[in-house]
Amino acid sequence: MANYQSIVIGGGVIGVAIAYHLARLGQRRVLLLDRGRLGEGTTAQSSCILRTHYTVPENVLLAQAAWRVYEDFAAYLDDRDADCGLVRCGYLIAAPAGEKSAALAEALAAQRRFGIHAEAIDAGAARRLLPIATFGDDELIGYEPDAGFADAYLVTSAFARSARRLGVTVRENTAVTGLRLGGGRASGVVCGNETIDADRVICVQNVWSGELARWTGVALPLAIERHSVMSLETKSAPYTRAMPVFKDLGTPGLLYCRSYGGAQMLVSEGTPGQALASPDTEQADVPLDKVVEVGEQVAGRFPAYAEAGLASSWTGLYDVTPDWNPVLGPHPEIDGLWLAYGFSGHGFKLAPAVGLLLAQAVLGQPGVVPIDTYSLARFAQGRLLAGRYGAGAVS
Ligand SMILES: Cc1cc2nc3c(=O)[nH]c(=O)nc-3n(C[C@H](O)[C@H](O)[C@H](O)COP(=O)(O)OP(=O)(O)OC[C@H]3O[C@@H](n4cnc5c(N)ncnc54)[C@H](O)[C@@H]3O)c2cc1C
């Protein structure tokens, strides 16, 4: 008998959610490995926005299932101390007339078909929700009240605590350096001098998934992008926690923003970021011309922010696939090997649902969506999950 039923490589929010759900569904011997500390990879850089607004229907269903977990987090984990830091402030999305507003109208209709409260509201109603912004009468504005943002550290640590309680072994500061491969199957991992046996290995390495491609010799479509995030502050127009998250499809950068620290605005672009040849999660400078470029777009929508100061800035990496959607499911060429990578800047909100979906698939159980939708094979088969807004994290 192998030491473990499952080994999960990677203790970001996705990896801990998978390990937790494997144990919740009955696996008693699960090992979660991370080369550093849990949650200190790209999860630590997340803006943590939660919404069900997507144009790919399977994404809507996953986000809806995940939202249900976030809004009743302690009960779901059966842990009264669990708190995901949810701020249920709602989500506003505005599109100029044309192709983007047609896509937005379709997305709202699809959400409603799934029983989600999502509606088009007029400029006056949008101003009442987000009084620091201006809205034009020619825009289509979508509103989703059951949305907001949460806290990456709280979510990751709560899943890890619950996973441990259910018997998952967690080892930090343990780098996987290779796979135990033979006869077309994976039967464990190599960590330096140590080999650990398992019935299966689930790779949740995000921007480090290139390592897996090298271990197996099977290429994985993956681009690594660096994105900049800023927080802006103006005393005359605080972005309070009562104000909704806002996505502005009318700006060149497809900006998104939310309250930060109760008074500042967290803002970032929704367009493709800076391509990197290798995963380097060290903080990079946000160049002044980027601050000015984003600041001008912000001021066009939020006039008081023309006077705003830059309070802080940071960078984070996306693991981007060709259709900006994750790869989930069994490896097509190696038995016992499973994939969960390519969250393309929108994995935090999906984490509880992806964790359950992957664990169900491992155990041969059906999930909320067919996991095959997200298979690696879709790229070769031309079954791309292309979103209606084009490249970007709202796919
Ligand atoms: C700037 C930014 C903003 C974002 N905003 C949002 C948002 O608003 N909403 C949203 O839904 N999503 C958002 N995301 C995306 C979301 O944060 C990610 O999709 C999610 O956190 C990815 O989790 P993960 O577990 O896949 O990856 P990670 O957190 O990167 O975890 C991967 C882990 O694998 C470990 N690892 C890798 N290789 C090995 C190895 N060989 N041995 C051992 N361990 C290994 C690493 O140490 C790391 O801890 C954002 C991302 C960024 C960067």
Side-chain angles (χ1 to χ4, degrees):
M1 188 170 74
N3 292 352
Y4 292 97
Q5 289 161 295
S6 299
I7 293 178
V8 179
I9 308 175
V13 70
I14 305 288
V16 295
I18 292 171
Y20 164 77
H21 283 96
L22 286 168
R24 181 180 167 124
L25 295 186
Q27 288 208 340
R28 288 291 155 257
R29 289 175 292 115
V30 177
L31 175 64
L32 173 65
L33 298 169
D34 199 288
R35 68 151 60 87
R37 307 292 300 273
L38 298 183
E40 73 175 9
T42 69
T43 295
Q45 305 161 340
S46 187
S47 305
C48 300
I49 291 168
L50 310 177
R51 55 166 161 87
T52 60
H53 189 96
Y54 277 105
T55 62
V56 173
E58 288 83 356
N59 288 349
V60 181
L61 288 168
L62 279 181
Q64 182 184 32
W67 170 260
R68 289 187 182 130
V69 174
Y70 281 124
E71 67 173 351
D72 205 9
F73 199 59
Y76 185 79
L77 293 182
D78 192 20
D79 175 359
R80 272 187 293 176
D81 286 337
D83 179 357
C84 65
L86 179 64
V87 177
R88 186 198 286 259
C89 55
Y91 181 78
L92 269 187
I93 176 167
E99 172 57 23
K100 289 207 171 70
S101 70
L104 173 51
E106 276 176 35
L108 294 174
Q111 283 177 291
R112 283 195 296 271
R113 277 199 297 281
F114 293 128
I116 294 166
H117 182 179
E119 57 182 333
I121 59 173
D122 63 24
R127 271 193 294 274
R128 283 191 290 282
L129 289 164
L130 191 54
I132 56 176
T134 58
F135 295 93
D137 289 331
D138 53 344
E139 292 184 288
L140 181 63
I141 305 163
Y143 177 50
E144 182 185 326
D146 290 336
F149 57 92
D151 182 290
Y153 176 78
L154 292 177
V155 171
T156 307
S157 54
F159 268 120
R161 189 171 59 236
S162 293
R164 282 191 176 102
R165 215 182 49 230
L166 294 177
V168 172
T169 304
V170 179
R171 277 176 62 179
E172 296 178 303
N173 302 314
T174 307
V176 176
T177 51
L179 295 174
R180 189 163 183 258
L181 292 171
R185 71 171 288 116
S187 57
V189 299
V190 180
C191 303
N193 296 328
E194 186 185 7
T195 300
I196 311 173
D197 296 344
D199 296 332
R200 66 188 61 74
V201 178
I202 304 166
C203 295
V204 198
Q205 295 169 259
N206 201 280
V207 290
W208 296 274
S209 299
E211 290 178 358
L212 172 62
R214 284 193 292 281
W215 297 334
T216 59
V218 179
L220 298 175
L222 169 70
I224 303 172
E225 287 188 1
R226 179 183 278 141
H227 287 253
S228 304
V229 187
M230 293 154 225
S231 72
L232 307 176
E233 183 164 20
T234 173
K235 296 279 181 248
S236 63
Y239 200 134
T240 69
R241 283 165 176 258
M243 296 178 186
V245 174
F246 180 52
K247 174 78 181 177
D248 194 347
L249 294 170
T251 49
L254 305 176
L255 298 189
Y256 70 80
C257 54
R258 47 156 268 211
S259 174
Y260 186 66
Q264 296 173 0
M265 171 194 289
L266 177 157
V267 60
S268 186
E269 292 174 302
T271 44
Q274 177 198 357
L276 295 189
S278 62
D280 170 9
T281 46
E282 289 303 309
Q283 284 302 302
D285 287 336
V286 177
L288 197 56
D289 51 357
K290 174 62 76 183
V291 177
V292 171
E293 188 187 316
V294 170
E296 282 174 358
Q297 295 175 55
V298 169
R301 177 68 75 173
F302 298 85
Y305 279 75
E307 307 299 324
L310 179 67
S312 57
S313 64
W314 60 95
T315 58
L317 302 188
Y318 288 9
D319 53 339
V320 179
T321 65
D323 62 7
W324 283 73
N325 275 301
V327 170
L328 306 173
H331 192 284
E333 298 187 27
I334 301 169
D335 289 342
L337 190 59
W338 290 74
L339 304 168
Y341 83 95
F343 291 91
S344 308
H346 59 103
F348 178 77
K349 73 179 66 57
L350 305 177
V354 164
L356 177 60
L357 184 71
L358 234 291
Q360 287 170 320
V362 160
L363 296 168
Q365 300 173 7
V368 64
V369 297
I371 197 164
D372 183 53
T373 312
Y374 294 94
S375 72
L376 181 64
R378 75 177 186 272
F379 300 115
Q381 294 167 352
R383 290 189 289 116
L384 266 61
L385 295 169
R388 288 275 273 112
Y389 298 125
V394 189
S395 53

